[in-house]
C-alpha cells in the first residue's frame, strides 16, 4: 500500500520540474507554464471533494482500481496535448483521478487495530511522502532525457502496472454507509459543524500545505535562473534531500498513538517557519537550500501525520468523509499556495516568496495557539 500510494501520488508532482521545458515547448512565459501545477492541484482538491467520500459507500478496492484506470487515460491525454490549454485540462483531470492515496489511507486504517492506527498511517504516509519528493527527481531526469511528454508516458505506464498490482493484491472492504450519494455529501457539512478537531486540523494543514506548494512551484523557477541556471535533471535531484526525512513518518505516527499529537504539530510549525528563514538567508547557497528543504519536509510530516491521526480517530465509520474534508481543505491550500507563489514571484522574486512563507507559517501557528487544547469530538453517528 505504501509503494502504490507513493507511485500514484507522484502523478500530481511530475509537472513541477518540467515547467521550464513546457514553457519552451509551447513558447509561453514560465509563470504561465507554471499554472499547470496549479490546475493539477486544483483537480486533486476536486477529486477529494467528489470522489473520496464514495469510499464510505462503495467497496474501496473496486473504486481504487477504476480511479487508477482513469489516471492512465488522463496521463496519456497530457502526453498528447497539442497546446497549453489541453495540457491544463489534462492536468486538472490527472489531479482529480490521482486521489487514490486518499482511498488507500482509510482502507489501511480500516484494516488496522485502533492501537496501531497512527503507526500504520505513518507507514503509508512515508510511502506517500517519498513518492511526492522522488517524483521531482524522476521527472527532472526523464524530462532532461525524453522531454516533458516522455515523462507523462512513463507515468501512464507506471499507473497501468499499479492498476494490475492493486487489482490482484489489495483486500476488499465492507462499506459503512448505505444512504444516497446526496445524503453522503450532505453529511460532510454536518461533520464540519460538529467536529471542532476536524476544523482545526484542516485549517492548520491548509496553511502548511500552502507553504509547501508555494515553495516547490517557485523553487523550480529560482534554480533555473541566476545564479544557478540548473536544468530539470539537477533541479529534480533536490527532491532527494527531502525524501531522506520522509522515513521519519512512521515514527511520527507511532508517537501520535502514545502521546498528544498536538505536541508534534507545534514543533512542526516552528520548523516550518525556520525553514523559510533559511531559504531567505541562503538564497544563493545550494547547501542552505538543501538544509531548508530537509527542515521543511520534517515540519510537514509532523503537522500532517499528526493531524491525520487525530482526524481518523474521530468517527471510524466516516473515515473517508472525514478525510475528504481534511484533504480537500489541505489541497485547496496547496493549489492556492502555488498560485500565490507564482504571483509573488513575478512581483518580488525569491525573497518575496520566502517572506510569504513565513507569514503563512505564522498564521498557522496563530490558529494552533487560539484553539482549545482539549477538544471533545461529537459522538454522533453518520
Amino acid at each position: 500500500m505504501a509503494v502504490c500510494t507513493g507511485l500514484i501520488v507522484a502523478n500530481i508532482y511530475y509537472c513541477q520540474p518540467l515547467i521550464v521545458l513546457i514553457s519552451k515547448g509551447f513558447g509561453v512565459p514560465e509563470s504561465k507554464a507554471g499554472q499547470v501545477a496549479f490546475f493539477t492541484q486544483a483537480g486533486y482538491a476536486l477529486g477529494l471533494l467528489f470522489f473520496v467520500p464514495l469510499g464510505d459507500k462503495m467497496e474501496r478496492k473496486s473504486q481504487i482500481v477504476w480511479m487508477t484506470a482513469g489516471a492512465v487515460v488522463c496521463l496519456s491525454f497530457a502526453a498528447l496535448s497539442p497546446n497549453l490549454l489541453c495540457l491544463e485540462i489534462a492536468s486538472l483531470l490527472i489531479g482529480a483521478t490521482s486521489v487514490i492515496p486518499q482511498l488507500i489511507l482509510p482502507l489501511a486504517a480500516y484494516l488496522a487495530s485502533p492501537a496501531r492506527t497512527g503507526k500504520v498511517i505513518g507507514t503509508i504516509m512515508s510511502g506517500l511522502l517519498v513518492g511526492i519528493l522522488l517524483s521531482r527527481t524522476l521527472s527532472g531526469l526523464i524530462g532532461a532525457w525524453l522531454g516533458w511528454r516522455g515523462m507523462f508516458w512513463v507515468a501512464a505506464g507506471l499507473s497501468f502496472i499499479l492498476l494490475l498490482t492493486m487489482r490482484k493484491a489489495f483486500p476488499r472492504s465492507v462499506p459503512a454507509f448505505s444512504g444516497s450519494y446526496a445524503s453522503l455529501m450532505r453529511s460532510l457539512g454536518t461533520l464540519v459543524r460538529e467536529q471542532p478537531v476536524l476544523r482545526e486540523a484542516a485549517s492548520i494543514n491548509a496553511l502548511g500545505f500552502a507553504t509547501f506548494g508555494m515553495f516547490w512551484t517557485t523553487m523550480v523557477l529560482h534554480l533555473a535562473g541566476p545564479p544557478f541556471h540548473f536544468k530539470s535533471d539537477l533541479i529534480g535531484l533536490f527532491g532527494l534531500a527531502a525524501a531522506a526525512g520522509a522515513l521519519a513518518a512512521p515514527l511520527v505516527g507511532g508517537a501520535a498513538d502514545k502521546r498528544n499529537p498536538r505536541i508534534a504539530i507545534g514543533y512542526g510549525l516552528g520548523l516550518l517557519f525556520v525553514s523559510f528563514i533559511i531559504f531567505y538567508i541562503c538564497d544563493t547557497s545550494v547547501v542552505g537550500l538543501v538544509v531548508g528543504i530537509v527542515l521543511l519536509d520534517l515540519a510537514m510530516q509532523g503537522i500532517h501525520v499528526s493531524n491525520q491521526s487525530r482526524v481518523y480517530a474521530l468517527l471510524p465509520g466516516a473515515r473517508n468523509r472525514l478525510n475528504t474534508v481534511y484533504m480537500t481543505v489541505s489541497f485547496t491550500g496547496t493549489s492556492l499556495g502555488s498560485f500565490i507563489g507564482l504571483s509573488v514571484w513575478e512581483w518580488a522574486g525569491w525573497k518575496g516568496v520566502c517572506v510569504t512563507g513565513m507569514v503563512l507559517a505564522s498564521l498557522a501557528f496563530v490558529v494552533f495557539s487560539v484553539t482549545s487544547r482539549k477538544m471533545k469530538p461529537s459522538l454522533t453517528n453518520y
Side-chain angles (χ1 to χ4, degrees):
M1 284 183 171
V3 171
C4 291
T5 296
L7 289 173
I8 287 289
V9 79
N11 289 342
I12 64 174
Y13 295 98
Y14 287 136
C15 62
Q16 290 182 352
L18 304 175
I19 289 173
V20 176
L21 294 177
I22 293 170
S23 168
K24 292 178 179 177
F26 289 128
V28 298
E30 292 176 353
S31 58
K32 189 167 182 61
Q35 291 178 6
V36 170
F38 165 74
F39 279 103
T40 306
Q41 290 155 0
Y44 196 80
L46 291 173
L48 287 167
L49 179 59
F50 292 108
F51 296 146
V52 173
L54 286 170
D56 286 336
K57 181 177 173 58
M58 296 176 59
E59 197 283 309
R60 289 187 179 112
K61 177 181 175 180
S62 298
Q63 187 186 9
I64 287 169
V65 169
W66 281 107
M67 292 290 293
T68 307
V72 173
V73 173
C74 296
L75 288 162
S76 301
F77 176 34
L80 295 169
S81 296
N83 53 53
L84 183 60
L85 176 61
C86 288
L87 181 58
E88 289 173 343
I89 294 170
S91 298
L92 188 76
L93 296 174
I94 288 168
T97 54
S98 295
V99 294
I100 293 99
Q102 304 310 323
L103 299 171
I104 293 176
L105 278 162
L107 177 59
Y110 164 82
L111 296 169
S113 64
R116 298 184 66 249
T117 300
K119 187 173 183 180
V120 168
I121 291 170
T123 300
I124 305 295
M125 280 300 302
S126 67
L128 185 144
L129 291 165
V130 169
I132 289 173
L133 301 166
L134 290 188
S135 64
R136 297 180 176 92
T137 303
L138 177 64
S139 179
L141 293 172
I142 292 181
W145 178 36
L146 298 176
W148 66 267
R149 294 182 189 273
M151 182 62 249
F152 282 110
W153 282 123
V154 169
L158 286 173
S159 294
F160 182 71
I161 293 171
L162 290 175
L163 184 156
L164 299 177
T165 302
M166 293 186 291
R167 186 173 182 273
K168 181 178 178 60
F170 275 22
R172 298 184 70 84
S173 64
V174 179
F177 186 88
S178 58
S180 66
Y181 181 72
S183 62
L184 184 78
M185 296 302 289
R186 283 196 299 270
S187 70
L188 296 177
T190 306
L191 288 169
V192 172
R193 288 193 302 272
E194 297 190 4
Q195 299 295 336
V197 170
L198 177 62
R199 295 195 299 270
E200 182 208 29
S203 300
I204 292 172
N205 231 52
L207 291 165
F209 271 42
T211 66
F212 196 71
M214 181 180 67
F215 170 78
W216 284 106
T217 300
T218 56
M219 186 203 73
V220 176
L221 305 178
H222 181 53
L223 293 177
F228 303 105
H229 299 289
F230 289 163
K231 297 188 180 301
S232 66
D233 51 351
L234 287 177
I235 293 173
L237 290 175
F238 279 77
L240 293 173
L247 299 177
L251 300 177
V252 175
D257 287 333
K258 299 174 183 177
R259 304 175 62 189
N260 184 351
R262 282 182 61 91
I263 296 173
I265 295 169
Y267 283 123
L269 292 172
L271 283 178
L272 188 64
F273 187 86
V274 170
S275 68
F276 278 95
I277 293 177
I278 294 174
F279 292 141
Y280 186 93
I281 295 173
C282 305
D283 59 324
T284 59
S285 167
V286 171
V287 174
L289 290 174
V290 169
V291 171
I293 288 171
V294 172
L295 291 180
L296 175 68
D297 183 54
L298 288 173
M300 287 310 304
Q301 287 179 63
I303 296 166
H304 181 47
V305 175
S306 299
N307 269 330
Q308 201 157 39
S309 297
R310 297 169 71 208
V311 168
Y312 282 162
L314 296 175
L315 295 164
R319 281 190 175 123
N320 272 73
R321 283 165 288 159
L322 290 165
N323 200 40
T324 292
V325 174
Y326 173 70
M327 291 305 302
T328 298
V329 174
S330 296
F331 269 87
T332 298
T334 306
S335 59
L336 289 175
S338 296
F339 178 79
I340 292 169
L342 290 169
S343 301
V344 172
W345 171 265
E346 289 190 330
W347 171 57
W350 181 248
K351 294 285 190 181
V353 169
C354 296
V355 171
T356 305
M358 294 179 212
V359 170
L360 291 173
S362 298
L363 289 174
F365 193 80
V366 169
V367 174
F368 173 79
S369 299
V370 300
T371 49
S372 171
R373 291 186 175 275
K374 292 184 178 180
M375 294 185 178
K376 295 181 180 179
S378 169
L379 300 179
T380 305
N381 292 320
Y382 297 94

